[in-house]
Amino acid sequence: MSGAIRRELAALYRLAHHYGWTDLTSTHISARLPDDPEHYLLNSHDLMFDEITASNLTRMSFDGHAVDDEPGSGRIVNLAGHIIHSGILSARPEVNFVIHSHTRAGVAVSAMPGGLLPLSQHAGFVLGTLSSHPYQDSTAVADEGALLARDLGDNYAMLLQNHGLLVVGRTAAEAFQYHYYLEMACKIQVDILAGTDRPIEITPDAMAALHDWGAPANGPHGGVQWPSLMRMLERTVPEYRE
């Protein structure tokens, strides 16, 4: 089981690189290890996302210690990443993957007074399961992981104000799907608001159907698209599995 989880998490990192969701090495994606409940997987802070493979992911304890599979590997722990991911995974036992990003559009929308607006189908997919969290330095606030989990609640996506995006998924496919739609919705919103201060909003009645489309209760989502994404990685960067 852990080998399959490692490959799926490595695939998420390569997809984040492919879709331009990276911020040097400063963002992170995590995975729970169902057969090793005392640990989870996270990236080493010194690796770019297109360098990440199944074998160089770091096994982390929930109290913040890296468990080196290869002694002397020199892997660097991202403390902010650990705080965020351990807090969410501890609070949400049904969730197995967490994605946190600092995309340009995601940060922009997270800093807008109205947050994400009902301007696109993409927004409709996530608005029914979207929270927000005020900006705080993750490493300087006591219990920030618990506060993030509190503000996420039972939702599957969150705007971290002035900071970026966070999504969760029961599967790797679902985490990818929620991040894809949230990021696309943010890009579309930035484009629309650059062209007009009087955007056409989707009506509440029409938006209700979109909320149902993206509702966690109707998931896990992403299973249709995930195999094609894996085929793309197999064609282009098969070394992600190593």
Side-chain angles (χ1 to χ4, degrees), residues 86-131:
S86 64
I88 299 296
L89 289 171
S90 295
R92 295 286 296 274
E94 83 284 12
V95 161
N96 294 305
F97 294 87
V98 181
I99 301 175
H100 168 51
S101 68
H102 302 158
T103 66
R104 180 174 174 177
V107 175
V109 171
S110 78
M112 293 180 181
L116 187 66
L117 301 174
L119 301 179
S120 65
Q121 291 188 129
H122 295 78
F125 186 83
V126 294
L127 272 171
T129 188
L130 184 67
S131 298

Side-chain angles (χ1 to χ4, degrees), residues 152-177:
L152 179 63
D154 295 329
N155 290 321
Y156 276 62
M158 186 156 65
L159 293 178
L160 307 184
Q161 293 174 2
N162 310 96
H163 187 173
L165 309 178
L166 185 144
V167 303
V168 301
R170 289 159 286 194
T171 63
E174 183 169 64
F176 174 86
Q177 194 86 341

Side-chain angles (χ1 to χ4, degrees), residues 19 26 75 168 191 234:
Y19 283 95
S26 292
R75 293 175 180 173
V168 301
D191 288 346
E234 291 294 333

